[in-house]
Amino acid sequence: MGLFARKTNRNPTSVPLFGVLLVVLLLTAIFLFEVDNLATQTKTIVGYNLKPTPWHEFPAKKFNNETKIARASKIFQCSYLSCGRSSNEPTPFSNQNENCPAFFRWIHHDLQPWSKSRISYADLMEVKKFASFRVVIIRGKLYVEYYYDCVQSRAMFTIWGLLQLLKRYPGRIPDVDFMFDCMDKPLIQKDESTKPLPIFRYCTTPDHYDIPFPDWSFWGWSEINIAPWQEEFKSIKEGSQRLSWKKKHPYAFWKGNPDVFSPAREALLMCNDTKEWGALIMRQNWTQEVLGGFKQSKLANQCNHRYKIYAEGYAWSVSLKYILSCGCVPLIINPKYDDFFSRGLFPKKDYLPISPDNICPSIKTAVHWGNKHPARAEAIGKSVQDFMERLNIDRIYDYMYHLIVEYAKLLDFKPTRPLSALEECVESLYCFADENQTRFLKRSATLPSQSPPCNLPQQANRQVDKLIEEKRKILNSTQLL
């Protein structure tokens, strides 16, 4: 009887304990399965579960250095657990505002196609097929719906710039909904059969509806060690002052990658003769630079020539602002693409135009003229460097602010958070960023502004049209200056 009783007492404790362990293991397995399932479906700012843009293909990103569990955990943590509450209360301004640079009037010009029809939700859904991601801002919170991956870390630093804008002007950014493409070539062409469709990107042309927006590298280009704009411009300007104008090399200089399907850059290789054409043309091998610690690609060390050449790449090139900052005479091979600020430049005042059909002789003529008129050449270099110095990070944020405010006025619907959109915040980007990216993000972080945004010029489309015609006449002129 006692033996039977001892057996009876052991079962009630051992069986439930085993059952509890079994349930815990089962729930853990279900949880891990669901997290992994969610992670394999979540599209992220660094490119997880995203394909490259089909209109500009590039090698898909690989994440071979992560285990499946580590990747799932990171995606879950960064995408769903990083963003908490944040303040959207406006901060008072203590300073007076300034007038915006004249090129800000292009904001009205870029948005003019929708000034009467306005922008509908159907317009956004139609242009979605050309977008890398969609940005929705509601009450100071930023949500992103990802469609395609962006090359390198463009998406991360573009979104970072928007987050810094929200931080700089808290409570002052309107609710807004817009599509963004992070690649280099405009897609929405203007013609009688094409409906105007709004999409933001880093560049545009007179023949496209694409709306230009400050590019990612203003907050740093981590892959090739280019600092955030406020640091990089200062470094370039200091480098430009190491040699006086008389001591600078009296010929033109270009250094870059010609292997990007660029007819202008391929033709430029034929001009590499300082005696014959007055030009030194150098290839930039980024693979070697990465291995060598970027010792030969520092932009501040490339301002020792009186002339610097700008040639577009596959399409628009991010390099223009660095060339213009050198204090040299920019020799610009007649560009097809404009970014948001370059339309404020005037040929033969801020740069010398180079014929794309006659590149080497055109460079030779420009160099000969500049060496014959050194004071006037030096004045051009100084003029455009001053232009770039006025394009400080304050004006970058102001351009973003005014463009988004004016764009938001045109929406004929109330922005709402898309079901598949993820909230992005400073913490979520730090969570996804690698060690090098994190350093760049922190270096470009901003604070609430003490001054209101600059005063936006009133609508002046007639002035813009007149300016376009003046530039066209100058570029078609055979006289250099």
Side-chain angles (χ1 to χ4, degrees):
M1 189 70 178
L3 181 62
F4 179 78
R6 284 196 296 271
K7 289 181 180 179
T8 304
N9 290 339
R10 189 164 56 241
N11 288 337
T13 58
S14 59
V15 173
L17 180 60
F18 175 77
V20 169
L21 291 174
L22 185 62
V23 170
V24 169
L25 290 173
L26 181 60
L27 291 175
T28 301
I30 293 174
F31 174 76
L32 292 175
F33 174 80
E34 291 299 328
V35 167
D36 180 68
N37 186 52
L38 183 64
T40 58
Q41 299 180 44
T42 300
K43 299 173 181 178
T44 73
I45 197 167
V46 292
Y48 291 121
N49 306 313
L50 287 170
K51 295 180 179 180
T53 53
W55 50 86
H56 185 168
E57 295 183 357
F58 57 91
K61 293 174 184 172
K62 298 179 180 179
F63 303 94
N64 297 332
N65 59 332
E66 300 173 330
T67 65
K68 186 177 181 181
I69 295 176
R71 185 185 312 168
S73 175
K74 182 177 182 179
I75 293 173
F76 186 73
Q77 170 70 30
C78 301
S79 298
Y80 300 102
L81 302 179
S82 293
C83 298
R85 292 185 179 183
S86 60
S87 173
N88 193 40
E89 291 298 319
T91 56
F93 297 127
S94 58
N95 300 326
Q96 297 294 319
N97 58 349
E98 305 174 5
N99 290 327
C100 297
F103 70 83
F104 274 52
R105 65 168 63 102
W106 284 88
I107 290 174
H108 300 300
H109 181 272
D110 292 334
L111 298 177
Q112 194 275 334
W114 303 279
S115 60
K116 294 181 179 179
S117 63
R118 305 191 72 193
I119 297 170
S120 68
Y121 183 79
D123 291 336
L124 286 191
M125 293 302 100
E126 188 172 350
V127 80
K128 175 181 175 180
K129 59 181 175 286
F130 300 112
S132 305
F133 54 83
R134 175 184 179 187
V135 173
V136 180
I137 298 174
I138 301 174
R139 294 187 296 277
K141 287 185 175 290
L142 188 145
Y143 305 95
V144 186
E145 188 174 44
Y146 296 101
Y147 307 131
Y148 293 101
D149 190 19
C150 297
V151 69
Q152 296 184 334
S153 56
R154 290 187 181 191
M156 174 177 288
F157 282 85
T158 300
I159 298 301
W160 177 259
L162 288 164
L163 289 170
Q164 298 309 299
L165 175 67
L166 293 172
K167 187 176 179 181
R168 190 167 184 83
Y169 294 126
R172 302 179 190 275
I173 307 301
D175 291 359
V176 71
D177 189 340
F178 59 87
M179 297 291 179
F180 201 107
D181 179 36
C182 57
M183 302 310 286
D184 295 342
K185 185 173 286 189
L187 296 174
I188 314 302
Q189 194 162 0
K190 292 180 181 177
D191 58 55
E192 294 181 358
S193 61
T194 303
K195 176 183 178 182
L197 294 174
I199 187 168
F200 286 37
R201 71 170 62 254
Y202 308 127
C203 66
T204 191
T205 81
D207 300 321
H208 287 83
Y209 290 114
D210 303 61
I211 303 167
F213 192 83
D215 73 80
W216 81 97
S217 66
F218 281 104
W219 294 272
W221 193 348
S222 61
E223 288 85 359
I224 60 173
N225 200 41
I226 292 181
W229 177 240
Q230 64 270 29
E231 294 180 29
E232 194 65 48
F233 176 82
K234 180 181 178 182
S235 174
I236 292 174
K237 184 176 181 181
E238 290 175 352
S240 74
Q241 296 171 339
R242 291 173 192 156
L243 295 177
S244 67
W245 186 264
K246 290 183 178 180
K247 291 183 178 180
K248 290 182 184 291
H249 301 299
Y251 47 85
F253 177 77
W254 182 84
K255 188 174 185 178
N257 180 10
D259 304 318
V260 289
F261 305 103
S262 166
R265 293 189 181 186
E266 290 174 5
L268 193 57
L269 295 176
M270 305 300 295
C271 308
N272 186 26
D273 190 323
T274 57
K275 293 183 179 180
E276 175 68 20
W277 303 117
L280 175 63
I281 311 301
M282 299 182 66
R283 285 179 175 269
Q284 180 68 76
N285 188 320
W286 286 112
T287 302
Q288 290 182 359
E289 284 303 300
V290 171
L291 297 175
F294 303 99
K295 295 179 181 178
Q296 303 301 319
S297 60
K298 188 172 176 60
L299 297 178
N301 296 335
Q302 298 180 25
C303 300
N304 298 325
H305 303 78
R306 295 180 188 174
Y307 316 90
K308 286 203 71 173
I309 301 167
Y310 171 74
E312 290 178 333
Y314 165 76
W316 163 82
S317 172
V318 74
S319 64
L320 178 62
K321 60 178 173 287
Y322 307 117
I323 291 172
L324 299 176
S325 299
C326 248
C328 312
V329 177
L331 306 184
I332 298 183
I333 300 174
N334 195 23
K336 296 180 181 178
Y337 305 95
D338 297 305
D339 52 26
F340 77 100
F341 70 85
S342 63
R343 295 172 295 185
L345 301 172
F346 210 78
K348 302 183 182 179
K349 174 183 176 293
D350 300 307
Y351 68 93
L352 298 183
I354 299 299
S355 169
D357 301 319
N358 211 18
I359 291 178
C360 297
S362 187
I363 291 173
K364 181 177 182 178
T365 299
V367 169
H368 176 75
W369 175 89
N371 289 338
K372 190 176 179 180
H373 304 88
R376 295 173 68 182
E378 185 177 4
I380 292 175
K382 180 69 165 59
S383 171
V384 73
Q385 188 178 63
D386 290 346
F387 177 94
M388 297 309 295
E389 188 162 27
R390 292 190 294 272
L391 185 67
N392 54 40
I393 197 64
D394 295 337
R395 297 292 83 84
I396 304 301
Y397 286 121
D398 286 355
Y399 194 94
M400 296 163 66
Y401 170 85
H402 284 302
L403 177 56
I404 289 174
V405 167
E406 296 302 313
Y407 171 91
K409 292 176 183 177
L410 298 175
L411 298 180
D412 72 356
F413 63 96
K414 181 178 176 61
T416 57
R417 178 180 180 177
L419 292 176
S420 60
L422 298 171
E423 181 181 355
E424 297 290 7
C425 59
V426 169
E427 292 75 17
S428 67
L429 266 65
Y430 281 154
C431 183
F432 272 122
D434 62 30
E435 185 177 347
N436 187 44
Q437 291 166 344
T438 299
R439 285 195 296 268
F440 277 78
L441 295 176
K442 289 183 176 180
R443 286 162 62 184
S444 59
T446 191
L447 295 171
S449 177
Q450 298 297 309
S451 304
C454 61
N455 294 314
L456 182 66
Q458 295 182 351
Q459 293 194 30
N461 284 328
R462 289 184 179 178
Q463 293 181 24
V464 170
D465 292 339
K466 183 179 178 181
L467 185 64
I468 293 172
E469 181 61 21
E470 288 178 2
K471 285 187 176 182
R472 186 189 65 78
K473 289 180 179 179
I474 291 175
L475 291 173
N476 289 337
S477 171
T478 56
Q479 184 178 354
L480 186 62
L481 282 173

